[in-house]
Amino acid sequence: MLIGPRMHDGNNGYLVITPLQREGSGTTVLVNRGWIPKKLRRQVNRLEGLPTGQVIVEGLLREPWKKNIFTPDNKPEQGEYYFPDVQQMAMITGSQPVWIEETMGNGVIPEIWPNGD
């Protein structure tokens, strides 16, 4: 799932939200994996940043920011998210309404794409 568009260092892009199935319990949580530039919106354009197999996520449990009056409503039927409505995203993905911001690791953009270039 992508949230955006969002600016980062003067570049337009998106936050990548990934449902992560937890080992053992089998429950799923939502992980904010970080920002990607607009040109990498399609997964086929960022294969090196897609996790495969078992992964370890280190992050913080956070309450995401709230929608303000200028933010449009999410359009999940079109795959468009402008703010993290955790309840809505959890329902769509079948995950728990838990939001984790990844703080360690490679994130979504490998080092070969500094600032998304």
Side-chain angles (χ1 to χ4, degrees), residues 56-117:
I56 295 174
V57 173
E58 293 183 39
L60 299 172
L61 209 51
R62 296 232 173 158
E63 184 173 340
W65 63 93
K66 304 290 184 211
K67 177 183 180 223
N68 65 40
I69 61 171
F70 302 106
T71 304
D73 290 333
N74 288 338
K75 299 177 184 174
E77 66 282 352
Q78 296 174 10
E80 295 177 6
Y81 297 88
Y82 302 101
F83 70 99
D85 183 332
V86 174
Q87 294 291 335
Q88 180 185 59
M89 296 169 92
M91 243 178 25
I92 290 167
T93 61
S95 70
Q96 294 178 302
V98 175
W99 177 266
I100 297 173
E101 290 199 13
E102 186 174 23
T103 57
M104 304 296 286
N106 295 334
V108 116
I109 301 179
E111 292 301 315
I112 60 169
W113 299 322
N115 293 325
D117 295 334

Side-chain angles (χ1 to χ4, degrees), residues 16-75:
V16 176
I17 312 306
T18 303
L20 175 74
Q21 185 174 357
R22 296 173 51 216
E23 184 179 46
S25 67
T27 58
T28 304
V29 295
L30 299 170
V31 178
N32 176 358
R33 297 191 52 233
W35 181 89
I36 58 167
K38 184 178 180 179
K39 69 181 181 181
L40 299 178
R41 181 177 190 197
R42 296 183 57 217
Q43 286 185 347
V44 70
N45 294 333
R46 56 184 157 91
L47 294 177
E48 291 182 53
L50 298 176
T52 57
Q54 187 173 3
V55 296
I56 295 174
V57 173
E58 293 183 39
L60 299 172
L61 209 51
R62 296 232 173 158
E63 184 173 340
W65 63 93
K66 304 290 184 211
K67 177 183 180 223
N68 65 40
I69 61 171
F70 302 106
T71 304
D73 290 333
N74 288 338
K75 299 177 184 174

